Amino acid sequence: MGTKTKFSRHHILMIAMILLSTVITLFLSTQKINYHLDELLTYSLSNGTDYINIKPGETYELYGKHQESFLTPSGETRFNYQNVWKNQAEDVHPPFYYTIFHTISSFMPGEFTKYIGISINIFFNALIILLLYKFSMLITNSRKAAYLTSLFWAVNPGIMSDMMFIRMYIMTMFFCLLISYVHVKFMKDVTPSNSRFFLSLFLVSLGGALTHYYFIVFTFFVCALFVFYLLYKKQIKHLLMYVGTYILTILAVLGIFPSVYDHIFGGESRGQESMENLMNMGDYLGSIQGFWRIISNTLFGGVLLIAVFAIGILLIMISLRKRKIVKTDHDRQSVLDRPSIWNIVYLLTTCSLYFLLIAKIAVYSAERYMQPIYPIIILTFTALLYHAIQYFSKRAPVFIVSAALVLISINGYVNTTNFEYLRLQSEEAIELAEKYSDKDSIVIFDRVWKIPASYVELSNYKTVTFYDKSKLNPLYQNTDYDEFVLYVHGEAAPIVKDIVNKLPQIISYKKLSSYAYTDVYYLQ
């Protein structure tokens, strides 16, 4: 009966954590007012046969509906996975996430909603919460430490911010955590028959590689260190099977999505840009500092350096103390045994190598490139913190660690996490578009791919007319509006003055806002 009670309490606690995380996510989703350009790319690459197709000089009524036709599937394009494959082959990402996204969208043709992407994030976030518990139990054998690890993730402000980003990064985090778990579990529980390990290795690696290419980068370090482990243990048979499994995985990935090779190594792809960054001896130290600051502010309330220093001091004190004392039944106990310490070293080493490489090759200094290692960072940080506190305070480690994690999270919510994916910085631009919703608008663009970034704002106007920035004569010849709202990509002031000079009905103008590649003016 006691076992059943513990079993049910455990499941209630895990469900409660998932529900808490989901409630926070849904609350934040109500505050999400706009979309990052890459989020709109998620919709178009999953569901559209084109990114956007506008004709310069043509006036569009109900522009929002026009653009949504490129963001949602229609009756003819529902469950069209061949189109998903084609879109991704022409883009720079593998297709697994987009396949899931398109499948959900296909059940709601013509429906554009943020909750399609957020629901995928919620699902994989729940899996991460469950897996973090199992992983923490594997390396600490402490339910309390495992619960704290999952809870810290479930309510972490940085993770909740990332849940608002409608891209494949939460899914990528799950696969990076899972491939790490598969390797560490083998190290802890190696048995003569390991068919389950190699099958898991194949399936997880296949799924992760088809989700994001940075999974491949992370897995490279996981595998490289694991090869050294097998060599050290002289497990040559396992090593040969391990290498053979990854050869099969590579062949399977290439067979399912042949464009992988070109995306990583060829053409003018992101892979090529990353290779160029690798060879560039620019401000590498500055990049490292920038990404460290991102992780600290996002996950740890800006105090990561202080926390790491404090944990380091405590661990050194523990090591020195253990050398001096004689082992008795009254010695202080630890949640980490020697193999577990080496497992944590293994995880931290893979994260560190990934961090150092990504800081060198990342196309942009953006948080998303570090997100794949976020679960491992949370896992190892909480395990080491709990270990250090428990050694010095056997009676109250849960309370002390909980208090520390609560303070970190509160500071993150209040001070350091910017929740950029809510797009709150676009609030003024949207309010102005709503204020002038009875007006006509003109968009002067320099790149077609920038146009959807103003999708929410442009959806408010009575009409929208587009003109190519390099070909403005049709605008001067055809525009007869007495007043209109003007959107200009890039430098706008000379164009606005030129319009005032060439359109006699326009005598004045004022700047309204700047957002998403665009300056906005009202002309009358």
Side-chain angles (χ1 to χ4, degrees), residues 196-416:
R196 178 181 292 185
F197 165 71
F198 292 107
L199 179 60
S200 299
L201 195 70
F202 174 79
L203 294 176
V204 176
S205 299
L206 182 64
L210 292 174
T211 299
H212 200 291
Y213 294 136
Y214 275 19
F215 170 86
I216 298 175
V217 177
F218 176 76
T219 304
F220 170 79
F221 293 119
V222 173
C223 294
L225 293 179
F226 192 75
V227 166
F228 285 120
Y229 166 80
L230 292 176
L231 288 172
Y232 174 76
K233 291 291 187 177
K234 298 181 181 179
Q235 297 181 9
I236 305 303
K237 178 183 176 181
H238 286 145
L239 175 61
L240 294 175
M241 294 175 67
Y242 185 77
V243 172
T245 300
Y246 266 106
I247 290 174
L248 289 176
T249 304
I250 292 170
L251 293 175
V253 170
L254 290 172
I256 293 171
F257 191 62
S259 299
V260 166
Y261 183 85
D262 288 334
H263 285 178
I264 296 176
F265 298 109
E268 298 178 357
S269 66
R270 292 282 176 85
Q272 184 67 23
E273 293 179 61
S274 295
M275 293 297 178
E276 292 172 359
N277 289 344
L278 183 62
M279 304 306 295
N280 180 16
M281 301 305 293
D283 186 17
Y284 184 38
L285 180 59
S287 180
I288 290 174
Q289 292 173 336
F291 277 114
W292 176 276
R293 195 178 304 113
I294 286 173
I295 294 174
S296 180
N297 290 340
T298 301
L299 298 182
F300 297 99
V303 298
L304 179 58
L305 185 61
I306 296 172
V308 168
F309 181 77
I311 292 173
I313 293 296
L314 290 174
L315 293 177
I316 291 172
M317 292 172 63
I318 291 171
S319 178
L320 293 175
R321 182 167 184 152
K322 282 184 175 180
R323 291 180 183 179
K324 292 181 179 180
I325 63 175
V326 178
K327 293 186 177 181
T328 70
D329 293 337
H330 302 289
D331 286 346
R332 298 187 182 275
Q333 300 298 310
S334 170
V335 294
L336 300 179
D337 55 19
R338 189 176 181 85
S340 293
I341 290 292
W342 283 111
N343 290 149
I344 289 180
V345 170
Y346 172 72
L347 294 172
L348 287 177
T349 303
T350 57
C351 283
S352 299
L353 293 172
Y354 176 90
F355 174 90
L356 292 172
L357 180 62
I358 296 305
K360 190 74 179 70
I361 70 172
V363 178
Y364 309 110
S365 295
E367 178 208 354
R368 70 188 75 172
Y369 298 127
M370 288 299 166
Q371 288 173 351
I373 60 174
Y374 277 8
I376 311 297
I377 293 174
I378 293 288
L379 171 71
T380 54
F381 176 85
T382 309
L384 289 173
L385 179 62
Y386 193 91
H387 165 66
I389 298 298
Q390 187 196 45
Y391 190 84
F392 288 98
S393 177
K394 287 178 63 178
R395 296 181 179 179
V398 172
F399 300 106
I400 296 173
V401 175
S402 297
L405 297 181
V406 166
L407 290 174
I408 286 172
S409 297
I410 290 175
N411 194 52
Y413 276 107
V414 174
N415 295 317
T416 64

